[in-house]
Amino acid sequence: AQSVTQLGSHVSVSEGALVLLRCNYSSSVPPYLFWYVQYPNQGLQLLLKYTTGATLVKGINGFEAEFKKSETSFHLTKPSAHMSDAAEYFCAVSEGHGGSQGNLIFGKGTKLSVKP
Amino acid sequence: KAGVTQTPRYLIKTRGQQVTLSCSPISGHRSVSWYQQTPGQGLQFLFEYFSETQRNKGNFPGRFSGRQFSNSRSEMNVSTLELGDSALYLCASSSGQLFTDTQYFGPGTRLTVL
């Protein structure tokens, strides 16, 4: 079964600093990988996704992630943090290889705090 | 284009009762998935419906059930509520055609079981 591990349940950065949120996955087949963000009392919003092709994926709000098959990683980065980036971030993998499209497997999430 | 809507947004029930939550997908989307979010277990997949048929199911007891109507609106039902069912229930819609389709999430229904 596929699984997702997010290292660090809480990450704190200063405004303007680099944001790095770590995600590792386990999969026996090429995975589809996603990063979602959740603001308080809201649902999830897709930041970016990797399906096939270019391993560096650019998303919304200046975020990007790189798929590294050899490291089974899909870390999320943003060069310069903004106060509005404070939220909880979830990495997810899709069992699209055999199951239906709707079954996303999520990591436990990383809460990002941004200090002024 | 209107987003995914969920009703009600908040719900308080007591143990042993049953509850029905509703989800209206984005117009044109035929797939609706349901997830449970709790502080302890995180986000867990409940089930997915596509064109009125359950296409996939997670590891939840039979007390959790769902259905989808011809207009793609979906409901989930939890019978004989337990304290541990307190959670944020999220639904997500997509076209359902490709594994890579983006799932769009609603704001969730916060269920509290007393």
Side-chain angles (χ1 to χ4, degrees):
Chain A
Q2 296 180 333
S3 65
V4 176
T5 302
Q6 290 185 241
L7 294 175
S9 58
H10 289 86
V11 170
S12 181
V13 300
S14 298
E15 193 172 20
L18 171 72
V19 175
L20 171 60
L21 305 181
R22 300 177 188 273
C23 172
N24 289 87
Y25 67 91
S26 69
S27 173
S28 58
V29 297
Y32 300 121
L33 296 159
F34 307 79
W35 274 101
Y36 282 87
V37 62
Q38 185 177 35
Y39 297 98
N41 298 317
Q42 294 187 28
L44 301 173
Q45 180 183 11
L46 180 71
L47 280 175
L48 49 82
K49 63 181 180 182
Y50 169 79
T51 53
T52 58
T55 57
L56 182 62
V57 181
K58 293 187 185 300
I60 62 171
N61 301 338
F63 285 94
E64 62 183 36
E66 187 171 11
F67 169 61
K68 291 187 177 181
K69 185 178 178 181
S70 61
E71 298 178 8
T72 60
S73 69
F74 191 57
H75 302 330
L76 182 71
T77 60
K78 182 175 181 177
S80 177
H82 191 271
M83 297 295 291
S84 60
D85 295 327
E88 189 158 21
Y89 293 79
F90 294 91
C91 182
V93 62
S94 172
E95 288 193 331
H97 64 282
S100 71
Q101 188 264 354
N103 186 0
L104 286 173
I105 298 169
F106 286 90
K108 293 293 189 184
T110 298
K111 281 187 179 173
L112 175 67
S113 301
V114 182
K115 299 175 289 186
Chain B
K1 209 179 212 181
V4 177
T5 59
Q6 292 186 245
T7 56
R9 291 292 311 277
Y10 300 91
L11 209 48
I12 300 175
K13 292 286 187 179
T14 56
R15 277 182 300 174
Q17 287 187 310
Q18 74 162 14
V19 67
T20 299
L21 312 181
S22 180
C23 173
S24 293
I26 291 171
S27 177
H29 284 183
R30 293 165 63 191
S31 169
V32 173
S33 298
W34 288 88
Y35 295 84
Q36 181 195 65
Q37 185 177 24
T38 60
Q41 298 300 315
L43 280 153
Q44 297 185 89
F45 172 74
L46 281 156
F47 31 67
E48 181 204 6
Y49 285 86
F50 179 77
S51 293
E52 301 180 66
T53 301
Q54 188 179 86
R55 187 158 71 170
N56 201 2
K57 189 177 187 302
N59 285 331
F60 277 82
R63 300 184 298 107
F64 292 81
S65 62
R67 59 178 177 168
Q68 187 178 35
F69 302 95
S70 59
N71 61 358
S72 293
R73 189 178 69 86
S74 177
E75 291 181 346
M76 68 163 282
N77 183 278
V78 188
S79 62
T80 320
L81 284 166
E82 300 177 358
L83 294 178
D85 297 333
S86 293
L88 180 67
Y89 290 89
L90 295 164
C91 82
S93 79
S94 73
S95 71
Q97 302 295 326
L98 298 173
F99 296 137
T100 55
D101 285 345
T102 297
Q103 289 192 46
Y104 296 89
F105 283 78
T109 293
R110 172 78 62 187
L111 172 64
T112 302
V113 182
L114 303 175

